[in-house]
Amino acid sequence: MIKVLFVCLGNICRSPLAEAIFNKKIELAGMQNQFKSDSAGTSDYHIGELPDERTLSCAKKYELSIHHRGRQVHRTDFRDFQYILAMDDNNLKVLGQLKDRFGFPKKEIHLMRNFVDHTKGLSVPDPYYGGEEAFEEIYQILDEAIENFLNKVIVTHQLYV
Ligand code: 4NP
């Protein structure tokens, strides 16, 4: 079982959407038994909350099922998840500090957009203060990056449908 954790700041916009996109892709590929996914935030701002209304509308538009309550990254996440994917530079920095503090200094954290060659080093922009178009933009960014991530994992782990 390959475990994948998507991380953003609030865990109500980008990372729950990323998790939902990922889940749909593995379901379409018939690989849901080979993966477990979750999402979390680096902050404690929205613990226990449902995803943002705009995240839910975007998920509805693209027929993604989304069932998540906000939670903060936890020490055990560094032990339990093989892949930890950060949405932006700040998430990456905080996760880098947490992994040292929690005793997992060797854990590799990936920036989500590094899976697309021409967007390496870029962030999935924070849509919180944006409008509906900001959510459309992050959907498109995530869809492409997650497609590439999944293909890479399938090759790396020699997974077969
Ligand atoms: P997310 O978006 O990190 O993609 O979930 C945000 C959600 C909430 C806040 C910022 C970003 N906030 O400042 O409360």
Side-chain angles (χ1 to χ4, degrees), residues 26-86:
I26 58 173
E27 217 175 288
L28 286 173
M31 301 182 114
Q32 59 273 50
N33 297 331
Q34 304 190 60
F35 290 96
K36 181 181 176 295
S37 68
D38 197 1
S39 65
T42 55
S43 77
D44 61 2
Y45 305 158
H46 299 281
I47 292 174
E49 292 179 23
L50 287 171
D52 188 283
E53 281 297 331
R54 299 162 295 173
T55 309
L56 295 173
S57 323
C58 183
K60 194 169 174 193
K61 177 177 172 189
Y62 290 102
E63 300 180 322
L64 307 170
S65 60
I66 197 160
H67 300 283
H68 188 75
R69 291 277 177 174
R71 75 168 181 91
Q72 191 170 22
V73 173
H74 189 261
R75 189 186 66 81
T76 54
D77 292 328
F78 293 93
R79 177 195 68 196
D80 296 340
F81 288 90
Q82 212 157 337
Y83 290 98
I84 300 182
L85 306 175

Side-chain angles (χ1 to χ4, degrees), residues 8-16 45-46 126-129:
C8 62
L9 175 65
N11 192 216
I12 54 169
C13 301
R14 292 165 291 178
S15 62
Y45 305 158
H46 299 281
D126 182 345
Y128 192 61
Y129 295 103

